Every structure is written in C-alpha cells, then in structure tokens.
Amino acid sequence: HNTMLIHCTRYNSVQNALGEIVNEEMTVLRNAILARDADVMNEMQELYESDFTPTSLEMDKEVLNWKDVIPFLSKAVRKIEPRCLIINGDVKDILDYKTKAQTGLSAIAIGGDKLSRGLTLEGLTISYFTRNTSLYDTLMQMGRWFGYRNGFEDLCRIYTTAELFRWYRHISTAFEALRAEFIE
C-alpha cells in the first residue's frame, strides 16, 4: 500500500473543497505523465535528482538513473485511485486495504478528526500536515501519521509548517529526556 495524508483542518466543508482541488490537479498530472508531457517530465526529473537521489544516497540506498525510472511511471500513476478519499463524518469514503491486498492501494486521503481517532493509514509515505494544536497529547497522536516504512525510509516525506516542526521537536526532546529518566 502507498498512502498520502493531507490534513489541514477539522472542518468537513474545507476538506471537501480541498478534495476537489486535489482531484483536479491529480487529473492534470496523471494525464501529463501518461502523455509524457516534456514540461512535467522535466519537473519530475529535477525533483527526483534534487530530492530523492541525495536522500536515498545519504541512507545508503540504491538509486536508479532517471531514465531507468521513466518506464515505471505510467504503471505507478495508473495505480493511484482516480480520486482522493475524503475521510470524515460527512463522506462515506473508506480506505479499503483488504480489497486491494494483492495489488496494494495507492491513495490520497484527506481528513481530520476521523483520522485522528485511530484510523491507520497503511503504507503512509507522504504527510502534508498543517493543522496545529498546542495540546501535546493531541500532537503525539497526530504525529503517528508521519509515516515510517521499514526499508522505505528514503521515500517518506513530511510537509508541514515551521511552527509545527518546532512543536514536534520540543515534544521529541521532552519524550527522550523522560525516557532517559525512566531508564536511569
């Protein structure tokens, strides 16, 4: 499975509107990749070479040349669900991992409170996360969304605000200090 999380707000109406924008952009990108649009392919190559390649090399992962990646793009983009899934109390979308057990589910999930109440996003590799809170227990619970896949660490990405980054760094530091005290 390969899941992307977009979590910006707890308000369902905003999540639904954001879903329409994401669906439109994904349609444009999907069509451009399938047509091998030169501008989009150049942009993807630049991103691959400036972000993915150095990150993977830093983690001692094998990296393919961009030209060796190109043949896999069409299959990968076709695998992504045709529309993002809105996971909130108003919409009945579900992340049906069981039905896609053989092929794997590749989806973009947009949500809020429903996601923060224990729903697991399998294969979470990308988190776009801007919803903030000053409650540490809530931050810790939402922090589990950031994705970690053993063997795929070089693929995980988190996009968030500088303020949230500082809050999570503070929580992590406090947690490690508390752990050290328990061990002592």
Side-chain angles (χ1 to χ4, degrees):
H1 304 299
N2 187 16
T3 308
M4 175 183 183
L5 166 69
I6 299 176
H7 183 63
C8 300
T9 179
R10 61 182 294 265
Y11 299 109
N12 294 353
S13 60
V14 178
Q15 293 167 13
N16 294 333
L18 181 58
E20 291 303 316
I21 294 168
V22 170
N23 286 335
E24 290 173 17
E25 182 65 18
M26 281 304 299
T27 298
V28 168
L29 285 173
R30 182 180 289 109
N31 291 339
I33 291 167
L34 292 174
R36 297 220 176 150
D37 176 88
D39 290 338
V40 170
M41 297 301 283
N42 288 337
E43 187 177 338
M44 290 183 67
Q45 179 179 0
E46 196 278 313
L47 181 62
Y48 183 83
E49 292 172 350
S50 68
D51 178 20
F52 177 78
T53 298
T55 301
S56 296
L57 290 173
E58 189 173 309
M59 296 180 167
D60 293 324
K61 302 283 186 175
E62 183 179 339
V63 179
L64 295 174
N65 289 319
W66 173 249
K67 66 179 177 59
D68 297 324
V69 171
I70 293 172
F72 298 100
L73 292 177
S74 293
K75 182 179 179 181
V77 79
R78 283 187 175 102
K79 185 178 173 188
I80 301 170
E81 291 294 303
R83 62 179 190 79
C84 62
L85 303 172
I86 310 295
I87 311 297
N88 65 35
D90 290 347
V91 182
K92 302 300 180 214
D93 284 344
I94 60 167
L95 291 158
D96 191 3
Y97 294 109
K98 288 183 181 177
T99 301
K100 302 272 185 154
Q102 294 297 320
T103 60
L105 176 68
S106 290
I108 299 172
I110 298 176
D113 288 344
K114 195 168 185 179
L115 289 175
S116 66
R117 292 196 173 95
L119 181 65
T120 298
L121 299 175
E122 295 186 30
L124 179 62
T125 52
I126 302 171
S127 297
Y128 184 88
F129 185 79
T130 61
R131 180 179 170 198
N132 60 7
T133 178
S134 59
L135 302 174
Y136 287 156
D137 62 332
T138 304
L139 279 173
M140 290 294 285
Q141 176 138 5
M142 291 189 294
R144 69 186 172 81
W145 290 335
F146 292 158
Y148 175 82
R149 295 179 68 183
N150 195 18
F152 296 90
E153 299 88 351
D154 58 323
L155 301 179
C156 293
R157 297 291 187 272
I158 302 168
Y159 301 93
T160 192
T161 66
E163 181 180 33
L164 275 173
F165 177 80
R166 284 190 301 274
W167 286 356
Y168 277 108
R169 182 175 23 181
H170 176 73
I171 287 174
S172 295
T173 303
F175 178 77
E176 289 304 318
L178 182 60
R179 176 191 284 196
E181 286 183 36
F182 279 137
I183 290 171
E184 186 179 318

